[in-house]
Amino acid sequence: MIAEVQEKTVSSAPSLITEAEALEILEGKVPLISVVARASEERNRYYTNRVRIHILDNIKNGYCPEDCGYCAQRKGGDSGIQEYSLKSPEEIWEDAKRAKDNGAYRFCMVTSGRGPTDKAVDKLAETISKINGELGMKVCLSAGILDAKKARTLKDAGLDRYNHNLNTSESKYNEICSTHTFRDRLTTLEAAREADIGLCSGIIVGMGEELKDLVQVAFELKRLGVISIPVNFFIPIKGHAIQKSSLTPEFCIRVLSVFRLVNPDSEIRIGAGREGHLGALQSMALFVANSLFAEGYLNVKGSEMVQTMNLIRDCSMVPEFTEGVPEGWDEFESQFLYDEKNFPELYKHKK
């Protein structure tokens, strides 16, 4: 269960379903249990019973000139979020150490803004190199639009993956953002891929899209060979400027299954919104996805690490730590549910 095994940077396994079959799954025409069984078989083929835990570090918040309608940090959003400039290398380093101590497989640094300056790229490269060299920890960076030169600098520093989500289909994109295009996002992903950086790119489900938009994104990610796919479920908070869709736990499972069956060897991550939108089906989702976030989603609080560890263990799965599964990882185990302090009413007649 050691994470140091060389990871693929490109998804190469062929899709197992067609676009028409993907639509049928999303439309509910295929029984859910059948869909999950098939997706689970592929998940186990490539990832066995391992779960990768990612922790996000918001290293720059706000001050963004982009108007992405799904983001609380967008220009003119008036969301009330705390704004701060790029954290110092020392602050990021401390965050990375805490993430490793808490069981993170990969440390994900996220900055706001259209894209990093040359100076910012150099600072990020130094930090990435230190985290790699001294912590032995894999790093993913999400910093906006990149060109080939900046991508190469980050690769040379040891960057493992670069995140730049497609978020929605090309035909839908101008409805959620006007300050950059879908093509800008593709160009960034292509620059990272040319630098041999593993691609991390996914979607936000629940922004008023049609089912065909979800299918188009799943197959576009397959075309790009994206090896890591976060599937986020839209969390409506103050500052957003898009139409939201009604999501059910069953539908969210179907979406995850479609992305798994279209991209069978990719890391499928349950992203933002899992706690609220998946609800009691979070455990079922882990039989389709092999990765999740813990400790929150940039500007929204998520599950605590202890809750995440309990979820993984309840599914008879194990977390994939940076240096393998250490002794005593199950110290996160919660107390027995029927302890008197948890259900005092059960014991009110106790003598």
Side-chain angles (χ1 to χ4, degrees), residues 289-309:
N290 65 293
S291 172
L292 42 64
F293 285 117
E295 304 283 336
Y297 314 101
L298 298 186
N299 299 117
V300 180
K301 183 176 172 58
S303 296
E304 302 288 346
M305 182 59 76
V306 63
Q307 296 169 308
T308 302
M309 290 295 190

Side-chain angles (χ1 to χ4, degrees), residues 107-163:
F107 184 59
C108 307
M109 301 188 297
V110 185
T111 77
S112 60
R114 181 176 179 84
T117 63
D118 289 338
K119 182 178 179 180
V121 166
D122 289 340
K123 287 179 64 176
L124 289 167
E126 290 179 15
T127 303
I128 291 165
S129 181
K130 184 176 181 180
I131 292 172
N132 266 267
E134 298 186 30
L135 291 180
M137 196 175 192
K138 298 182 184 297
V139 179
C140 180
L141 174 66
S142 178
I145 295 172
L146 284 186
D147 58 26
K149 179 185 175 183
K150 292 173 181 176
R152 175 49 60 184
T153 299
L154 294 169
K155 172 64 178 180
D156 290 344
L159 183 66
D160 179 48
R161 287 184 181 165
Y162 193 78
N163 167 261

Side-chain angles (χ1 to χ4, degrees), residues 23 36 45 68 74 104 114 144 152 188 190 203 212-213 219 230 232 248 250-251 271 294 324 350:
L23 272 175
V36 171
R45 184 190 311 278
C68 308
R74 70 186 183 90
R114 181 176 179 84
R152 175 49 60 184
T188 293
E190 289 162 356
I203 191 169
K212 66 178 183 179
D213 294 306
F219 279 91
N232 302 288
T248 66
E250 180 193 2
F251 180 73
K350 180 181 177 181

Side-chain angles (χ1 to χ4, degrees), residues 53-59 87-101 103-110 124 127-128 131-132 135-142 159-163 269 293 322:
I53 302 171
H54 296 243
I55 291 181
L56 289 169
D57 187 20
N58 202 3
I59 62 176
K87 289 182 179 179
S88 69
E90 293 74 23
E91 288 177 296
I92 298 172
W93 169 253
E94 290 300 323
D95 290 343
K97 285 200 296 184
R98 277 194 296 273
K100 181 175 181 178
D101 290 342
Y105 177 85
R106 183 172 278 105
F107 184 59
C108 307
M109 301 188 297
V110 185
L124 289 167
T127 303
I128 291 165
I131 292 172
N132 266 267
L135 291 180
M137 196 175 192
K138 298 182 184 297
V139 179
C140 180
L141 174 66
S142 178
L159 183 66
D160 179 48
R161 287 184 181 165
Y162 193 78
N163 167 261
R269 186 172 318 115
F293 285 117
T322 306

